[in-house]
Amino acid sequence: MKSGTRSSSRALARLQAIRQEFSTATARERRGLLRRLEHARLDSASQLLRLHELLCFANAYPDDPGLRRLVRRMLARFDQRADLRRHHRALRDSGIAGTTMRFRFFAATALRLARRWPGQLVFDWPAWDDPARLAELLPLLAAHAETPGLDEWDLGLRGWLARMKPARMGDAAFVLRRLDGRVPDPFVFEKIADGMDAPMALEPGRDTPTRTRAAWPVTRVAWQTEPLRRGRPDLAAILAQRPRAVRPLPLRAAQRMIDLAVGAMITHERDLDVFSYADPCDVRLVDCGDGLQFAAIGAVPERRLLLESVYGFLTLKNGVPTGYLLSSALYGSAEVAYNVFETFRGAEASEIYCRALAMIRHLFHVDAFTVYPYQLGGAGNDEGLQSGAWWFYRKLGFAPRHREARQLMRREERRMLRDPEHRSSIATLKRLGEHNMFRHEAGRRDDVMGVLPLANVGLAVTDLLARHGGGDADRGAARCGQEAARLLGAGPGRGWTPGERLAFARWAPLVVQLPGVARWSAPEKRALVAVMKAKGGRRESAFVAAFDAHGRLRAALVRLARSVRP
């Protein structure tokens, strides 16, 4: 091993060792090590990846202004490194600038990429087991005048795509854009595009998404001058804290934030519907102090659920995306899914999670939280099992309601009291992870997310449309809209937006079968119309507030949900 290689390896090893240590001395040492590596030529892809992750971490947790400038300079030039160009194939799917991302992008994300970077989005043919579905769609993609050639010549699927598409457009971008033009209904387009199950590759371009340069501009940096908070947080105390500020983003800034969130998903080989179908009118930046922010992103009205309100949150530390959350809120409660990107795990996961719950409590006025099985290591989440995720939530005061799960939990806790070294087996964690966990801040109640059988409301609507639609769901829904307007004494007015009209139409089959709604007072009926309108309004969190304030509606919906059987 050459002396330069040994020196670089030692520098990387030392950087890794002090990665989460913060003091004046370690800041000085970190700066010197990074300067040594800035122009060094690393011998392997694994060393490059390690250096990249250390830079990303230091960008989120900078010691001081000088070190931050150095880190950001190294990240800005990372794709210009000669060693990266040499190892770029081995670093595919890493999200590093200058490398290719391969993934089976869902329809909305794939179309976004096809529109923004048409020259970079191609099919990953070696990874595609069965492109037959696309071959079946080929006549749909062609202009009518092309059909004589299609009928006569067998150029093969790839041959035809190469001939049909523009020279500088990727074949995946061509298919998606042409299909989008042929299929005007976005829901039908989504089914067709996702049905292809096509692996794709986003080749690196000048401004394609990367983890390397992903950052939101910040005006004030929180310098990391003391050790990270690793102890168990006092969740009750943190939940009482309000965010420092909640600021709606102007449309242009909101679109940039959405792009950052979608890019974070792409470069971590993930997809999140609420980011893919984000509404620029419903994006807020929540400042929790200490450099921690959450970008709260809501969906466009067409993609909102009938009942609960879903928001995605991009976690930002000093502007650097470090993870994301998904929240589904209603009835003063919220189901919350929490994810920390691998680079930042082991830093402040518990602290940030607690502050995220406090932020969600403030935005949606909730006093109960639910964690569903996948987050706990259930439903096939092997990573959650191996990490002991169930106990992460238990130590923060969450507990299952299911009788057998509670018995198992108490048994494990007794064993831990007798033997502090005891750890639950994977088999035990699987059993524990089969059931939701809950935390109540104002006393246990049953009308919360994860307990209420809200899916039964959909069954009630199905039964209604089957009885009154004559097999024509659209006709049945239209009749329900008329009946709901008559029943409530009001319907969509002249000033209603398309989203608000859509929400009223979607809620109408539900309204006409709410128990006792005909006997409600005029103010209660007007309040219900306001709830329906809010579902399609500018900010879906306003719907949650209006719904939760309507006691009679809450009670009627519970009765309806509990009266229906699958």
Side-chain angles (χ1 to χ4, degrees):
M1 182 182 290
K2 295 179 180 180
S3 60
T5 300
R6 286 195 299 268
S7 176
S8 297
S9 296
R10 286 195 297 267
L12 271 174
R14 182 56 185 161
L15 270 176
Q16 185 68 37
I18 64 171
R19 170 175 171 266
Q20 295 187 25
E21 294 181 15
F22 296 93
S23 68
T24 302
T26 53
R28 187 184 311 114
E29 183 180 10
R30 194 172 358 257
R31 189 180 301 108
L33 291 167
L34 286 174
R35 283 175 176 160
R36 190 185 310 172
L37 291 166
E38 184 173 11
H39 301 293
R41 182 166 294 191
L42 302 179
D43 283 344
S44 69
S46 62
Q47 288 183 324
L48 278 164
L49 178 61
R50 194 186 318 171
L51 174 60
H52 183 269
E53 302 314 288
L54 289 166
L55 288 168
C56 288
F57 189 87
N59 197 22
Y61 294 90
D63 302 76
D64 53 49
L67 189 132
R68 183 171 184 261
R69 286 193 296 271
L70 172 60
V71 165
R72 291 169 74 87
R73 183 176 73 226
M74 291 179 67
L75 286 171
R77 300 173 180 174
F78 207 86
D79 59 343
Q80 300 172 27
R81 296 179 63 104
D83 45 11
L84 179 73
R85 291 194 292 270
R86 187 167 68 252
H87 295 293
H88 73 96
R89 289 183 62 82
L91 290 168
R92 287 181 302 186
D93 311 327
S94 66
I96 295 176
T99 65
T100 299
M101 282 302 305
R102 298 171 301 176
F103 191 57
R104 294 178 187 266
F105 300 111
F106 290 151
T109 300
L111 184 58
R112 175 191 293 264
L113 295 174
R115 289 170 173 167
R116 182 78 174 271
W117 297 284
Q120 273 69 48
L121 189 65
V122 298
F123 288 122
D124 184 8
W125 293 99
W128 202 349
D129 295 329
D130 184 16
R133 180 60 179 142
L134 176 55
E136 294 172 1
L137 296 174
L138 196 58
L140 180 62
L141 304 178
H144 187 71
E146 294 178 276
T147 55
L150 280 170
D151 293 340
E152 181 68 23
W153 297 105
D154 183 10
L155 303 183
L157 177 58
R158 297 181 68 173
W160 272 113
L161 292 180
R163 189 153 191 147
M164 295 168 73
K165 72 179 185 66
R168 296 186 179 181
M169 183 178 291
D171 49 12
F174 167 74
V175 168
L176 290 161
R177 290 168 63 139
R178 183 66 66 89
L179 187 62
D180 179 53
R182 292 283 192 271
V183 183
D185 187 316
F187 292 92
V188 176
F189 165 81
E190 178 182 306
K191 291 296 182 184
I192 295 174
D194 286 342
M196 293 190 302
D197 193 27
M200 302 180 201
L202 182 66
E203 302 291 352
R206 183 177 57 83
D207 60 347
T208 49
T210 73
R211 293 192 299 115
T212 310
R213 303 190 185 102
W216 183 256
V218 294
T219 56
R220 180 178 297 177
V221 178
W223 308 112
Q224 194 67 41
T225 58
E226 56 187 32
L228 296 171
R229 286 168 286 200
R230 299 187 183 281
R232 188 179 305 168
D234 183 346
L235 179 53
I238 293 175
L239 286 174
Q241 300 173 10
R242 296 170 65 88
R244 287 189 175 184
V246 180
R247 179 169 62 90
L249 292 182
L251 284 179
R252 286 190 178 181
Q255 190 57 64
R256 291 198 303 272
M257 183 64 80
I258 293 168
D259 290 342
L260 183 65
V262 173
M265 295 295 102
I266 290 169
T267 53
H268 287 89
E269 299 179 281
R270 300 164 190 259
D271 226 324
L272 199 63
D273 278 355
V274 70
F275 289 165
S276 298
Y277 298 112
D279 188 346
C281 294
D282 193 5
V283 179
R284 284 165 286 177
L285 190 60
V286 184
D287 185 357
C288 295
D290 297 326
L292 178 65
Q293 297 173 309
F294 296 97
I297 300 175
V300 294
E302 297 81 5
R303 296 288 176 166
R304 295 173 185 172
L305 300 184
L306 179 69
L307 297 173
E308 56 266 46
S309 174
V310 176
Y311 274 78
F313 299 87
L314 184 66
T315 307
L316 301 166
K317 181 68 174 181
N318 285 316
V320 178
T322 62
Y324 65 96
L325 299 99
L326 191 66
S327 169
S328 180
L330 203 66
Y331 278 95
S333 65
E335 283 185 346
V336 181
Y338 176 56
N339 188 280
V340 179
F341 295 143
E342 186 174 359
T343 306
F344 306 97
R345 291 176 188 170
E348 297 180 300
S350 297
E351 178 76 19
I352 291 175
Y353 178 67
C354 292
R355 293 169 79 177
L357 293 187
M359 177 259 307
I360 290 170
R361 184 180 190 184
H362 169 73
L363 289 181
F364 302 105
H365 306 288
V366 305
D367 59 22
F369 298 98
T370 305
V371 181
Y372 55 84
Y374 188 82
Q375 287 284 296
L376 305 170
N381 182 1
D382 292 336
E383 183 182 341
L385 281 177
Q386 297 297 330
S387 67
W390 195 92
W391 286 104
F392 169 85
Y393 294 100
R394 176 59 188 147
K395 290 173 182 178
L396 291 174
F398 287 83
R401 295 167 61 117
H402 189 272
R403 183 174 60 85
E404 292 181 4
R406 290 184 67 84
Q407 291 173 347
L408 182 56
M409 175 188 74
R410 294 190 185 106
R411 189 190 76 186
E412 287 294 290
E413 289 178 334
R414 287 194 297 268
R415 293 183 66 179
M416 289 175 180
L417 281 175
R418 293 193 300 268
D419 177 12
E421 299 299 317
H422 172 73
R423 295 294 180 268
S424 300
S425 67
I426 292 296
T428 298
L429 291 172
K430 280 185 177 180
R431 291 171 60 193
L432 288 169
E434 291 175 354
H435 308 284
N436 290 347
M437 295 182 80
F438 302 86
R439 179 180 169 111
H440 295 270
E441 302 305 314
R444 173 171 161 163
R445 54 189 175 89
D446 293 333
D447 58 339
V448 296
M449 300 291 295
V451 177
L452 280 171
L454 293 179
N456 291 356
V457 172
L459 295 178
V461 171
T462 298
D463 294 342
L464 175 71
L465 295 178
R467 291 194 305 268
H468 300 298
D472 187 336
D474 291 339
R475 186 177 69 178
R479 289 176 58 187
C480 287
Q482 296 168 357
E483 187 175 350
R486 179 190 57 77
L487 191 62
L488 299 176
R494 178 181 299 177
W496 284 42
T497 67
E500 292 166 344
R501 292 176 181 276
L502 176 64
F504 187 93
R506 287 177 170 178
W507 261 66
L510 169 59
V511 167
V512 298
Q513 54 186 332
L514 280 176
V517 68
R519 297 187 298 276
W520 290 7
S521 68
E524 289 170 334
K525 291 180 178 180
R526 286 195 298 270
L528 174 52
V529 173
V531 169
M532 299 164 74
K533 184 179 181 182
K535 187 63 173 177
R538 178 183 179 119
R539 190 167 293 142
E540 196 180 1
S541 56
F543 158 79
V544 178
F547 178 95
D548 285 346
H550 201 309
R552 202 157 187 181
L553 171 59
R554 289 175 55 150
L557 194 61
V558 169
R559 288 199 301 274
L560 177 63
R562 291 176 176 165
S563 69
V564 181
R565 294 292 179 267

